[in-house]
Structure formats: C-alpha cells, structure tokens
Amino acid sequence: MVTLKDIAEHVGVSITTVSRVIKNDSSRNVNPETKKKVWQAVRELGYIPNEYARHLVASSGPEKKETKRIAWLASPRLAESNPYFSKIYSGISETLNNAGYTLLLLSNEDLEDEAFFHQMIREKEVDGVLLIDKVDEKILLEIKEMIPVVGVDFNYSDHAISTVDYDREEAAYKAIEHLVSKGHRQIGFIGGGIDIEMTNEKRFKGFKKAMNEFGITVEENWIINSNWCLEQSYKSTKDLLNLPQSNRPTAILCAGDLLAIAAMRAAHELGLIIPEDIAFIGIDNNEMAQYVVPSLTTISIPQYEMGVIAAKVLINQIEDNVNIALKTLLPFELLVRQST
C-alpha cells in the first residue's frame, strides 16, 4: 500500500511537506513546483488517502462509506441561467432529494484545483458525479476510476460512461424532414460550437445527413455558428435575410429554441412574414416557444425526464455497485406550430 513516505521518497521531499500539500495546509508555503510534483506522484503511485479507502481497496474492513452527496458538474452559466439545463437540474434535484441525497454544484475550476479534487474525489467526499459540462479527459478518466459517473445531455455520448441523452442527429433529421414536407428546399442552419467545433456537433451532422438524403444542397453561407449567443443569432440572421430573396433561405433550422426566437426577431424587423417569407423550427421546446408570435415549431426534448433518469442511473450504480456503461436515449416529439 502506498504511503506518505513513498510519495516523499518519489518526489525527494520530507513526509511533512507531502502531508502539508495533501491536507492543503496553508500555515507554511510550499513551492508551487513541489506541489505539482506531489500531486503527480499521488496519481502515478495510486496513493489511497485514508484508512477507510485502504480497507476498501483490500476488499476488507468496514462497509462502504456513503456520504449521500452527489456532485453536479456544470458551469454556473448552464446551471443557473439556461432554462434548458434548469429543467434537467429540477429532475435531478427532486429525484436525489426523494432518495435522501444532497446535491453539490462543482465547476471545472474546482476540479482543476488539486487539493479540492483530492478532497472531493480521492477522499470520496461525494458518492458520484453527474456531468453536464465538458471536463478534461484526464480528469474524467481519474474520476471514473474512483466513483460512479453519469453524463447528462451533450458531450459524453462517445465516452465509456453511462449517459442519458436524446438522439441529436435524428432530432435534426426530423426537423428537416418536416421543412421538406412543407415544400422547402432552401434551408439554413443556426447552431453553436463552444466545447467542440460546430461541424462535429450532432445536430449539425443530422442537418447535413437529412439535406444529403433529400437531395438538397447545403449552402455554406446559410450556416451560422452563433456560439450559442442570442445576439449573434440575431445579428447573423439579419445579415443573411438582408440578401436578395433568391440568395437567402426560405427556412432555418435552429439547434435551440432561444436561437430561433432571436432569429425570428431579425426577420420581423426586416418586415418578413413568418412562415410565408421565412420559416423557423427549433430544437428544445423552451417555455417561451409557445408564447412568441408566431408560436415556434420545435422538436420537444424531455429535459426534466432526462434529469430524473440520470439521477436514478447514478443512484443504482452507487447503491448496487453496477459498473455497466448504460446508454439511454429518450424519445423526442415534433410540435408543429405557426412558424412553419
């Protein structure tokens, strides 16, 4: 079993220094480079920090400790201000609360702090992690080795962890299929790419797949990367729709309802009539979608249910020690409204 002495000898410092780093003792300063080497040794040597964890590794001793705490990894931008993710959060929090768990909000900055990561993950101060935001690959791999992890919504469908999502490509395909059924052949796309390139985003892939299968040319000038910024969606759409009628789309698929609502405002200000001059369809079913004028046609995503199922999957992994990476895709629904 790896000890503090092993760490100290590996790094070439005293046991006291190693202890001070691991305990995040600020009473005496430790050189930042030394701290970095200590944490690197902790990872490389597989140091197990407390007596309980040592017993756990040896499959003997006391029963598994449960903190009844779950970490929700999401940036404040997603967790607090985006209504899409707030619905997922409601499903998660209500389900965990009913099961006797408390929810702790973490950010990437928290996990990049070695002392904090050590306390939360290696010391098992939380029983599991729900991932909403993108996390560094190395951090994800280490979390997976220590505690159960479930990815919710985007980012994690291609990783060897349990995920709860919807089929993004198929949702976009369904949206294009609807527009084509309405006679549209000149179709644009508004999406975003922050953590990944937009060309790799699955809704955009679904858009291109549908356009190809329906024999429709994808006009690169009609593709808008808004970076999920409403102002960018509004401004770029206004520029696009200012073009002569023959050089602009007759319909636009938006990867999110809020992007669509911002784009619809641009069309209104240019005096265009929706859907006669330009049609819009979103993906989300944001609460505002049914109240804008005209009401927005959208692909409805079961966000609350995604949160509920993600929480239940994680609880099962924690309590039943289930390590199978389950991939759960929830159904979506086309809601036809006035904008198409």
Side-chain angles (χ1 to χ4, degrees):
M1 189 65 62
V2 179
T3 65
L4 291 181
K5 181 181 178 182
D6 296 325
I7 300 292
E9 290 177 352
H10 185 83
V11 178
V13 296
S14 69
I15 295 176
T16 302
T17 297
V18 173
S19 177
R20 187 174 293 125
V21 170
I22 290 177
K23 292 180 180 179
N24 199 27
D25 182 358
S26 58
S27 61
R28 292 185 62 184
N29 291 329
V30 178
N31 184 284
E33 187 61 31
T34 299
K35 285 185 179 181
K36 183 177 178 181
K37 289 179 179 179
V38 168
W39 287 121
Q40 185 175 350
V42 166
R43 290 193 299 271
E44 291 178 355
L45 300 181
Y47 173 67
I48 306 297
N50 54 42
E51 196 62 36
Y52 156 72
R54 292 188 187 98
H55 282 302
L56 203 60
V57 170
S59 299
S60 61
E63 292 183 0
K64 180 182 176 182
K65 178 184 77 171
E66 283 192 1
T67 66
K68 303 295 282 189
R69 297 173 73 192
I70 299 295
W72 143 284
L73 178 66
S75 67
R77 171 180 62 87
L78 296 181
E80 298 171 4
S81 61
N82 191 313
Y84 179 91
F85 292 100
S86 67
K87 291 181 184 178
I88 295 176
Y89 176 82
S90 294
I92 288 172
S93 61
E94 290 179 20
T95 303
L96 292 178
N97 183 61
N98 291 337
Y101 287 82
T102 57
L103 193 58
L104 175 68
L105 174 63
L106 300 182
S107 67
N108 270 301
E109 288 73 19
D110 292 327
L111 294 184
E112 288 167 2
D113 182 325
E114 277 284 7
F116 188 90
F117 183 92
H118 183 77
Q119 178 185 355
M120 285 292 106
I121 307 302
R122 299 191 189 104
E123 292 271 10
K124 295 183 173 65
E125 290 297 317
V126 293
D127 293 319
V129 177
L130 287 162
L131 296 175
I132 309 297
D133 213 357
K134 185 176 177 62
V135 66
D136 180 82
E137 190 80 18
K138 291 182 179 179
I139 291 176
L140 174 58
L141 291 174
E142 185 167 2
I143 293 175
K144 284 171 52 182
E145 292 298 316
M146 303 296 292
I147 54 178
V149 181
V150 174
V152 191
D153 197 58
F154 66 109
N155 292 327
Y156 296 102
S157 297
D158 299 326
H159 290 73
I161 62 173
S162 292
T163 58
V164 179
D165 203 350
Y166 67 96
D167 191 330
R168 295 162 185 279
E169 287 193 31
E170 188 61 27
Y173 187 100
K174 187 73 174 179
I176 296 302
E177 183 180 57
H178 171 67
L179 293 177
V180 171
S181 75
K182 293 292 183 178
H184 294 285
R185 305 286 295 180
Q186 297 169 248
I187 304 173
F189 180 89
I190 302 175
I194 298 177
D195 297 328
I196 60 174
E197 291 292 328
M198 193 179 78
T199 52
N200 295 324
E201 205 276 324
K202 291 184 177 179
R203 281 161 291 196
F204 184 68
K205 288 183 176 180
F207 161 76
K208 293 188 73 173
K209 176 183 176 182
M211 295 285 279
N212 180 62
E213 291 192 8
F214 287 113
I216 304 173
T217 301
V218 174
E219 298 289 347
E220 295 299 326
N221 293 336
W222 298 351
I223 306 302
I224 296 172
N225 183 355
S226 69
N227 289 308
W228 300 106
C229 172
L230 303 189
E231 183 69 11
Q232 186 62 49
S233 178
Y234 162 75
K235 288 182 177 179
S236 296
T237 302
K238 201 164 191 178
D239 291 340
L240 176 60
L241 297 183
N242 251 326
L243 297 173
Q245 185 173 358
S246 59
N247 294 335
R248 69 186 188 219
T250 62
I252 299 178
L253 165 59
C254 302
D257 285 359
L258 293 180
L259 297 179
I261 291 171
M264 287 168 65
R265 176 188 165 188
H268 279 303
E269 292 182 0
L270 291 172
L272 299 178
I273 300 174
I274 303 171
E276 287 82 355
D277 296 324
I278 178 74
F280 291 92
I281 184 170
I283 298 177
D284 181 352
N285 196 26
N286 182 280
E287 186 176 354
M288 290 299 297
Q290 60 185 313
Y291 297 115
V292 295
V293 180
S295 57
L296 177 65
T297 294
T298 187
I299 304 293
S300 179
I301 308 303
Q303 299 140 48
Y304 176 83
E305 290 78 7
M306 286 170 64
V308 170
I309 293 175
K312 288 182 177 180
V313 168
L314 185 58
I315 291 171
N316 287 340
Q317 290 189 351
I318 293 168
E319 298 183 354
D320 299 333
N321 197 29
V322 176
N323 296 318
I324 299 174
L326 302 174
K327 304 296 182 183
T328 305
L329 290 178
L330 273 63
F332 52 80
E333 180 184 4
L334 171 66
L335 298 180
V336 180
R337 298 192 180 115
Q338 297 168 338
S339 69
T340 57

